[in-house]
Amino acid sequence: MDSELKKYRARIFGDTYSIVSDEKEILILEAVKVVDTIMREIADASQVVDPKKIAILTALKIAARSLNFEAVMEQEKRLSSRIMNVLDMQDAVL
């Protein structure tokens, strides 16, 4: 995070939003793109037309992705720790 608040204007699912954030611009722009893309995919693939419901479904999809990513990272962390333990044991033997 940058420590300075910046203002951005973003167009998501046909509406324009003012965003104030201390995140880097590239991250905000990518987040806007992801949200807009998922909202459009959900709207195109379903019978849902209510923008609020589409936004909720989008939030759920992004949250699920985030939780999955965190679970994978935790597995990788445990695996890395096990590998380091094996390497430490090999160093002790040598």
Side-chain angles (χ1 to χ4, degrees), residues 65-81:
R65 285 183 182 179
S66 176
L67 292 170
N68 183 54
F69 177 77
E70 289 174 13
V72 168
M73 291 302 295
E74 186 59 36
Q75 286 176 330
E76 294 292 326
K77 184 178 173 183
R78 285 193 302 270
L79 179 60
S80 177
S81 179

Side-chain angles (χ1 to χ4, degrees), residues 1-69:
M1 278 191 261
D2 299 341
S3 56
E4 183 181 324
L5 289 176
K6 296 175 190 158
K7 219 174 183 180
Y8 305 97
R9 291 186 56 76
R11 192 151 179 84
I12 302 172
F13 203 60
D15 291 320
T16 302
Y17 296 90
S18 292
I19 300 169
V20 177
S21 177
D22 60 350
E23 297 289 349
K24 293 183 179 180
E25 181 177 10
I26 189 82
L27 183 64
I28 296 298
L29 294 174
E30 190 63 28
V32 165
K33 183 178 173 183
V34 166
V35 170
D36 184 64
T37 299
I38 293 172
M39 287 185 77
R40 291 181 187 285
E41 287 172 358
I42 289 171
D44 290 345
S46 69
Q47 301 297 324
V48 178
V49 293
D50 180 5
K52 182 177 178 181
K53 289 182 180 180
I54 292 170
I56 297 292
L57 293 171
T58 299
L60 289 170
K61 187 168 192 164
I62 292 170
R65 285 183 182 179
S66 176
L67 292 170
N68 183 54
F69 177 77

